[in-house]
Each structure stands twice: as C-alpha cells, then as structure tokens.
Amino acid sequence: MFHALVAVKQVPDTTNIRIDPETGNLIRQGVPTILNPYDAHALAAAVEWKERLGGRITVLSMGPMSAISSVRECIELGADRGIIASARQFSGADTLATSYVLAEMIKRIHEKDPISVLLFGKQAIDGDTAQVGPGVSIRLGFPLITYAVKIHEINLKEKTLVAERKSEQYNEVIQVPLPCGITCEKEIASIPYASLPNLVHSLKYEPEVWTAEQPIAFPPDQIGIKGSPTTVFKTTQPELHTAGEVINTADTGVAPAVKTAIEKIEAAGILDMPEGCA
Ligand SMILES: Cc1cc2nc3c(=O)[nH]c(=O)nc-3n(C[C@H](O)[C@H](O)[C@H](O)COP(=O)(O)OP(=O)(O)OC[C@H]3O[C@@H](n4cnc5c(N)ncnc54)[C@H](O)[C@@H]3O)c2cc1C
C-alpha cells in the first residue's frame, strides 16, 4: 500500500522578518508563522498520488507545540496522520541534529507502517540550507531526488518511482527504487482546496506528540543544541539596492542622454572623469 511521509516545518512568515539591530538575531516574538510553502507543495504531490493509488499520508514536524497549527493545515489538505517532535531538548538544533531526530522517528514509523516515499520541501524559507532532506535520506539509506518538479510515475508493484528534477541547464528524468526521498520545488503540484469533511476533521485533530524520551529515548548529546556543531554567530540583512535610473534616449536623443548620464555618474563620485569628458 502507498504510504507517503511528508516532513513539514513551521517557519516565520519571512515577509514580516525583522532583525534586532543590537544582537543581530531574528526577532521571532509576535511574528506570524506559516507552513513552509515548499512543504505545502510536497504535501500536495502526496495528496495527488494518494488519490491515484489509495493509501495514506503521514506528516512529521519537529518544532515547538505551535507547530500543531501547521500539522492541522496538512490534515485539512489531505494528510491522515500527524506527528510532532516537541521537547525543550530538541531546541537549537542545526541540520545535523534535525536530520538525526527526523531519521530516527521515520525509522520507527517505517518499521510498523512501511513508507513508500519521503517528501520534503526543497528548503525551509528561514534556515534556507536545503540540507535536511538529503541528511535524512542518507541516514536511512534511501535514494534521493532533489529539486523535483514532477513525479511521473510511482509503481508499487515494481517498487520504482520516476521523477523529473531541475538542474541549472536542463531537466533530468530519473528512476529510483522505493522507498526513496524527494525534495520538492513548488511546481511539483498545486495546493488543493480543503474539502469540508477534512476541514471539520482538522479542527478537532490532535497530532501525536513525541518527546525526547518517548517513544524514542534520544541520546541527549545528539539532539538540540548539544548535538549541533553549527553556530550562527550573527544574522544580518543584505543591503537593499534601489532600482537603477533609466535615461531614455528616445525622449532626448543620444547625445543629451549620454551627457546626463555622465553628469550623474560624476555627481555620485563613482568615477574620476577625465577633463573635457562632460
Ligand atoms: C538564519 C538561520 C541560519 C541558519 N543556518 C544554519 C546553518 O548554516 N547550518 C545549520 O546546520 N543550521 C542552520 N540553521 C538552523 C536551521 O534552521 C535548523 O537546523 C533547521 O531545523 C533545519 O534547517 P533548515 O531550516 O535550513 O531546513 P532545510 O534543510 O532548508 O529544509 C528542507 C526541508 O526539510 C524539512 N524540514 C526542515 N526542518 C524540519 C523540521 N524541523 N521538521 C520537519 N521537517 C523539517 C522540510 O521538508 C523542509 O522543507 C539556521 C537557522 C536560521 C534561522
């Protein structure tokens, strides 16, 4: 039977992100959170394939208890089971510790309810590392297709999946054996409208909460901040560049337009202009 597991992260709505000028850290208080957009598209792909093949979808998220709202959103869109890894000990995780926790949880789920496909967003819009999908897949020994734009075929009998992935110059169509991992671009599937029964079900849905001790007793030195060798020293915003000014030769003719451009360059002090140039 088809069983898709989708890893979803709750992220700050980055259009609202502000940085504390004193500390250089992200200001998270009062910032609205959303389901990572790439993860919503990964889930949409799982829902499309569940409609074709039957089966079920599990979503998994590591994060604070507020992640419940993102898991409920996934139930609304067509997931069947939601699990949250939430405990103080998980906090401060880098991608190494995050992928370790998710992989251990997926192993446990897979033992009881074998997984056909693991889906991830191509990246989380806050951390942006795009490392968690590959990190989890390699720990599980699953083949991985990154930057997938389309799943062409899932053959449960032959245990194969064919997907198309984007590379810089061309798209590649790849076949891998199941179970496999996929990291998804937004083109993979459009986000469906929630059906009324799913909407009602999601309002009352209580995801399972797994802690650092139950049902898996995680070694404290491999999770959260203790299991994370990465240190983010400072977060800064890149300088915003304004759009350049266009001097239209059609309005003034070429020579006056060039003269205006040179005057502006000179006034901005960008270049030392040779005498007689202006
Ligand atoms: C500004 C900033 C910079 C950071 N830089 C680094 C860094 O350089 N190195 C580092 O190791 N960590 C870094 N982190 C920490 C990083 O956010 C966490 O490790 C995070 O838990 C996972 O990394 P990511 O957000 O980059 O996810 P990505 O690897 O970009 O996420 C890819 C996909 O993995 C899945 N996924 C990711 N996180 C979760 C989760 N918690 N639960 C379920 N599914 C998930 C989702 O499907 C997601 O779309 C940074 C955090 C911030 C805020």
Side-chain angles (χ1 to χ4, degrees), residues 66-128:
S66 62
I68 284 183
S69 61
S70 292
V71 170
R72 285 202 177 118
E73 196 179 327
C74 296
I75 299 288
E76 203 178 294
L77 296 177
D80 301 282
R81 181 184 179 193
I83 306 173
I84 297 178
S86 194
R88 185 180 34 83
Q89 297 96 309
F90 293 133
S91 68
D94 67 5
T95 51
L96 196 74
T98 302
S99 55
Y100 169 68
V101 169
L102 295 180
E104 289 301 306
M105 292 178 72
I106 292 166
K107 259 187 224 165
R108 185 62 68 96
I109 297 163
H110 189 55
E111 277 164 16
K112 292 196 177 154
D113 189 2
I115 292 164
S116 331
V117 187
L118 281 182
L119 295 114
F120 305 86
K122 105 171 154 170
Q123 67 193 66
I125 60 166
D126 58 348
D128 258 348

Side-chain angles (χ1 to χ4, degrees), residues 16-268:
N16 290 298
I17 278 229
R18 285 171 300 131
I19 291 179
D20 184 325
E22 297 287 308
T23 62
N25 292 331
L26 299 180
I27 301 170
R28 290 178 185 272
Q29 288 87 354
V31 177
T33 51
I34 53 168
L35 172 64
N36 183 42
Y38 293 103
D39 304 357
H41 287 272
L43 175 66
V47 170
E48 276 186 14
W49 282 92
K50 187 178 94 166
E51 278 165 9
R52 291 192 210 183
L53 302 172
R56 62 200 164 278
I57 300 170
T58 302
V59 293
L60 173 59
S61 187
M62 185 181 88
M65 286 304 287
S66 62
I68 284 183
S69 61
S70 292
V71 170
R72 285 202 177 118
E73 196 179 327
C74 296
I75 299 288
E76 203 178 294
L77 296 177
D80 301 282
R81 181 184 179 193
I83 306 173
I84 297 178
S86 194
R88 185 180 34 83
Q89 297 96 309
F90 293 133
S91 68
D94 67 5
T95 51
L96 196 74
T98 302
S99 55
Y100 169 68
V101 169
L102 295 180
E104 289 301 306
M105 292 178 72
I106 292 166
K107 259 187 224 165
R108 185 62 68 96
I109 297 163
H110 189 55
E111 277 164 16
K112 292 196 177 154
D113 189 2
I115 292 164
S116 331
V117 187
L118 281 182
L119 295 114
F120 305 86
K122 105 171 154 170
Q123 67 193 66
I125 60 166
D126 58 348
D128 258 348
T129 64
Q131 290 172 0
V132 171
V136 171
S137 301
I138 203 159
R139 283 176 190 279
L140 296 170
F142 286 11
L144 173 73
I145 298 179
T146 51
Y147 305 109
V149 288
K150 189 173 168 62
I151 300 174
H152 287 282
E153 186 188 82
I154 298 178
N155 188 329
L156 296 175
K157 225 164 147 201
E158 303 287 326
K159 290 190 185 305
T160 53
L161 177 146
V162 179
E164 188 166 339
R165 71 179 295 275
K166 196 156 90 174
S167 77
E168 267 180 30
Q169 283 159 8
Y170 41 80
N171 284 9
E172 296 167 319
V173 178
I174 300 178
Q175 178 175 301
V176 288
L178 299 179
C180 69
I182 305 185
T183 76
C184 302
E185 296 274 1
K186 288 185 179 174
E187 300 97 301
I188 194 109
S190 324
I191 299 168
Y193 288 106
S195 68
L196 190 61
N198 281 354
L199 202 68
V200 173
H201 175 51
S202 73
L203 294 175
K204 287 181 278 175
Y205 185 81
E206 290 300 333
E208 295 160 47
V209 179
W210 292 22
T211 68
E213 284 103 21
Q214 286 290 342
I216 300 172
F218 283 99
D221 60 347
Q222 287 192 53
I223 60 171
I225 208 149
K226 285 193 192 155
S228 299
T230 313
T231 309
V232 179
F233 287 112
K234 200 172 176 196
T235 310
T236 52
Q237 269 173 324
E239 253 180 64
L240 288 176
H241 296 284
T242 50
E245 186 183 338
V246 176
I247 303 165
N248 197 336
T249 53
D251 294 341
T252 57
V254 176
V258 171
K259 187 169 183 289
T260 311
I262 290 170
E263 280 165 8
K264 284 184 184 282
I265 291 168
E266 213 174 16

